[in-house]
Amino acid sequence: MSNIVEKIQKLKNRLNVTIVAHFYQKDEVFQLADITGDSLELAKKTIDNNSEFIVFCGVAFMGESVKVLNPNKRVVMPKTACCSMAKMIDGKYFDKSVEILKQSGITIENILPVTYINSSAEVKAKVGEMGGLVCTSSNAEKIISNSLKSGKKILFVPDRCLGQNVANKMGLKSEVINLNQGGNSKYLEADILCYDGFCSVHQLFTPEDIDFFREKYPDILVATHPECDPAVVAKSDFVGSTSQIIKFVKNLPLEQKIVIGTEFNLVNRLREKNTFVLSSTKPECSTMNETTLEDLYNTLKSIEDGNPFYEITLDMDIQKNAKLALERMIEAKF
Ligand code: 13P
Ligand code: SF4
């Protein structure tokens, strides 16, 4: 065991902390976590946890979600890493999207906002205030189909790909909102109106990457994350959240070749043989990868010294309204 790992474990044993890590974390950090999972699992699993501190190894929206759901818990992050997609929308852009829909002839009473969990607490609060809710990549289809029962149009933020992929799967009509133009009557025709955000990592995968692997290995299976472009999803054999991809791959015979379109840290630890990363470039979530063992050690040390680094604090109104949006998802039990 390396010196730093030993030091982290000793420190951890002295403190009332739980280390949480998303699947995209570096292996050495991931291996030290008490709780791991996809975004939905991480939000849920920390609710019943009774440690005083959560040390969250991931990106800011994930740590914030834990804080929103557990206001009395102290949540610290070894890095203030942010998700590039979550950064594409803030409260003002959310308001502007609503305004454009109103200019298009859709009344506010007829809009139900749904935000992908990859958004800031500020955006979740806006959604919560309007009676909307959160979804993750593993429950987006169920949340959207349930939300459509209200008879309202769905304003889906911030990931246009996830919104379009769900719409395509359900045979619904989607449109991407153009923030540079005013109202447009075409928005009246759509069931799901998507904000124009995307994931910089999942955008790297192309239909040509899939063609390349299918030509090379005719029997190969293709699994992708729903943050990929709809053209990539259309050519995939399986589409799912990080946890769903892991489960799918575990149930395959070892001789079955598989190529996977998601972040490389997860793909690399899946299985030793017959597993490929779907990209001609390295699909690395650079911010997820910022957290190192040294950061983890320093964060734990700062807790022991009584002055934790990067503790998440939230404005009370944001906390309250973001909690409404997250709890509506959890109560929906999808
Ligand atoms: P999951 O909910 O599938 O873990 O996705 C989170 C994410 O950020 C994928 O890019
Ligand atoms: Fe955000 Fe994309 Fe990184 Fe996921 S992979 S955390 S969506 S930037």
Side-chain angles (χ1 to χ4, degrees):
M1 200 189 297
S2 80
N3 197 16
I4 183 122
V5 171
E6 216 171 299
K7 279 163 76 181
I8 289 172
Q9 280 175 342
K10 280 190 181 152
L11 247 178
K12 203 180 118 187
N13 293 341
R14 294 202 292 272
L15 298 169
N16 187 6
V17 300
T18 296
I19 299 176
V20 178
H22 185 262
F23 291 126
Y24 293 166
Q25 288 293 298
K26 286 179 193 297
D27 283 353
E28 60 265 36
V29 172
F30 186 79
Q31 280 155 10
L32 290 173
D34 304 296
I35 296 179
T36 58
D38 69 7
S39 308
L40 180 62
E41 291 161 346
L42 295 181
K44 282 183 178 169
K45 284 180 185 174
T46 45
I47 294 178
D48 299 325
N49 176 277
N50 46 27
S51 299
E52 184 188 358
F53 285 94
I54 295 285
V55 175
F56 201 103
C57 305
V59 282
F61 77 81
M62 295 177 175
E64 275 188 356
S65 297
V66 173
K67 181 69 184 172
V68 166
L69 287 166
N70 308 279
N72 297 327
K73 218 175 260 305
R74 300 186 68 180
V75 183
V76 288
M77 298 196 62
K79 272 274 155 68
T80 51
C82 64
C83 159
S84 60
M85 180 202 289
K87 270 277 181 192
M88 289 179 190
I89 185 167
D90 60 10
K92 278 199 242 88
Y93 280 116
F94 178 85
D95 290 343
K96 190 165 179 192
S97 308
V98 173
E99 202 42 53
I100 288 176
L101 297 189
K102 288 202 299 198
Q103 286 164 11
S104 310
I106 306 170
T107 60
I108 187 106
E109 295 75 29
N110 208 21
I111 302 171
L112 182 61
V114 176
T115 181
Y116 187 27
I117 196 164
N118 296 35
S119 56
S120 64
E122 184 198 12
V123 169
K124 290 187 181 80
K126 290 267 178 192
V127 168
E129 242 181 316
M130 269 180 74
L133 73 172
V134 174
C135 75
T136 72
S137 52
S138 59
N139 64 15
E141 197 183 328
K142 287 178 184 156
I143 293 276
I144 288 179
S145 112
N146 206 40
S147 301
L148 282 166
K149 290 182 191 153
S150 65
K152 299 181 184 189
K153 292 198 182 291
I154 305 297
L155 165 58
F156 190 79
V157 303
D159 187 9
R160 63 162 188 252
C161 294
L162 182 59
Q164 289 171 315
N165 286 327
V166 169
N168 292 345
K169 185 150 182 225
M170 294 173 68
L172 299 169
K173 192 163 167 31
S174 64
E175 284 292 346
V176 177
I177 302 168
N178 185 340
L179 283 193
N180 298 318
Q181 287 174 358
N184 190 319
S185 58
K186 71 178 177 184
Y187 300 144
L188 282 168
E189 312 290 314
D191 308 291
I192 305 180
L193 295 143
C194 306
Y195 186 81
D196 199 6
F198 60 90
C199 164
S200 50
V201 180
H202 289 84
Q203 287 304 294
L204 294 174
F205 307 115
T206 64
E208 291 72 31
D209 293 329
I210 297 184
D211 296 342
F212 170 85
F213 277 97
R214 290 212 194 274
E215 203 176 305
K216 196 164 175 193
Y217 308 112
D219 296 333
I220 201 163
L221 290 176
V222 180
T224 56
H225 194 277
E227 288 173 12
C228 293
D229 190 86
V232 170
V233 162
K235 286 190 158 209
S236 304
D237 299 299
F238 179 82
V239 181
S241 74
T242 51
S243 272
Q244 290 165 343
I245 291 175
I246 293 169
K247 204 163 153 207
F248 177 73
V249 173
K250 281 209 172 118
N251 288 327
L252 293 176
L254 208 69
E255 61 277 11
Q256 172 64 58
K257 289 189 175 50
I258 178 125
V259 59
I260 301 171
T262 196
E263 215 269 348
F264 88 101
N265 274 304
L266 182 156
V267 181
N268 278 354
R269 78 171 78 91
L270 266 181
R271 53 178 199 169
E272 278 166 26
K273 274 175 59 190
N274 292 329
T275 311
F276 305 89
V277 179
L278 178 70
S279 186
S280 45
T281 56
K282 190 177 179 186
E284 175 179 20
C285 180
S286 52
T287 49
M288 279 276 190
N289 279 273
E290 275 175 17
T291 306
T292 62
L293 286 178
E294 284 72 22
D295 294 322
L296 185 53
Y297 173 78
N298 289 333
T299 301
L300 291 169
K301 189 78 185 72
S302 74
I303 292 173
E304 185 170 65
D305 294 345
N307 192 15
F309 296 153
Y310 310 128
E311 181 165 358
I312 296 180
T313 53
L314 292 169
D315 167 275
M316 267 171 56
D317 275 345
I318 288 185
Q319 163 84 49
K320 185 184 85 191
N321 290 318
K323 195 162 187 266
L324 286 176
L326 270 162
E327 282 179 346
R328 284 183 191 126
M329 169 182 79
I330 287 169
E331 280 155 19
K333 292 197 165 55
F334 296 133

